């Protein structure tokens, strides 16, 4: 008989990965393979470069209504907003820095 933990609904929920991610940060890799791990989920691989973040978004074509293009657009919008916040703060710091 299975131990009680394997019968717990929380165990089943925690074993279903709707979002699976992987990160590979190297200037030497131009491509990689990555995918979703459940039919109703997304797989997102990303690499952080000196001047860019590159995403690979995957989802199965099925009846769950997932759309990799839409998710990619939301990620792009969020990244653009974060960039604007960081650049604005850097400009404020530069303006308030003592002049030599």
């Amino acid at each position: 008989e299975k131990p009680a933990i394997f019968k717990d609904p929380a165990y089943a929920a925690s074993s279903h990965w709707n979002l699976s991610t992987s990160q590979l940060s190297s200037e030497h890799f131009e491509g990689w393979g990555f995918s979703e791990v459940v039919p109703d989920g997304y797989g997102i691989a990303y690499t952080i470069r000196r001047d860019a973040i590159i995403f690979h978004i995957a989802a199965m074509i099925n009846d769950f209504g997932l759309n990799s293009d839409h998710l990619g657009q939301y990620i792009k919008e969020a990244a653009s907003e974060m960039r604007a916040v960081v650049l604005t703060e850097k400009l404020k710091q530069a303006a308030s820095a003592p002049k030599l």
Side-chain angles (χ1 to χ4, degrees), residues 16 36-42 59-62 64 66:
H16 190 88
E36 68 287 330
V37 295
V38 294
D40 60 337
Y42 288 101
M60 289 183 177
I61 297 173
N62 56 37
F64 291 109
L66 301 178

Side-chain angles (χ1 to χ4, degrees), residues 55-92:
F55 290 91
H56 167 85
I57 303 167
M60 289 183 177
I61 297 173
N62 56 37
D63 295 330
F64 291 109
L66 301 178
N67 188 313
S68 297
D69 291 333
H70 288 163
L71 181 57
Q73 184 60 38
Y74 295 135
I75 290 172
K76 183 177 180 179
E77 288 174 15
S80 295
E81 290 174 13
M82 290 189 307
R83 182 177 190 272
V85 168
V86 169
L87 290 179
T88 299
E89 186 59 32
K90 285 181 115 176
L91 288 173
K92 284 181 190 176

Side-chain angles (χ1 to χ4, degrees), residues 17-24 32-37 41-47 55-58 71 75:
W17 298 90
N18 291 95
L19 180 61
S20 179
T21 65
S22 180
Q23 186 255 353
L24 178 63
W32 60 89
F34 194 75
S35 188
E36 68 287 330
V37 295
Y42 288 101
I44 301 177
Y46 61 98
T47 184
F55 290 91
H56 167 85
I57 303 167
L71 181 57
I75 290 172

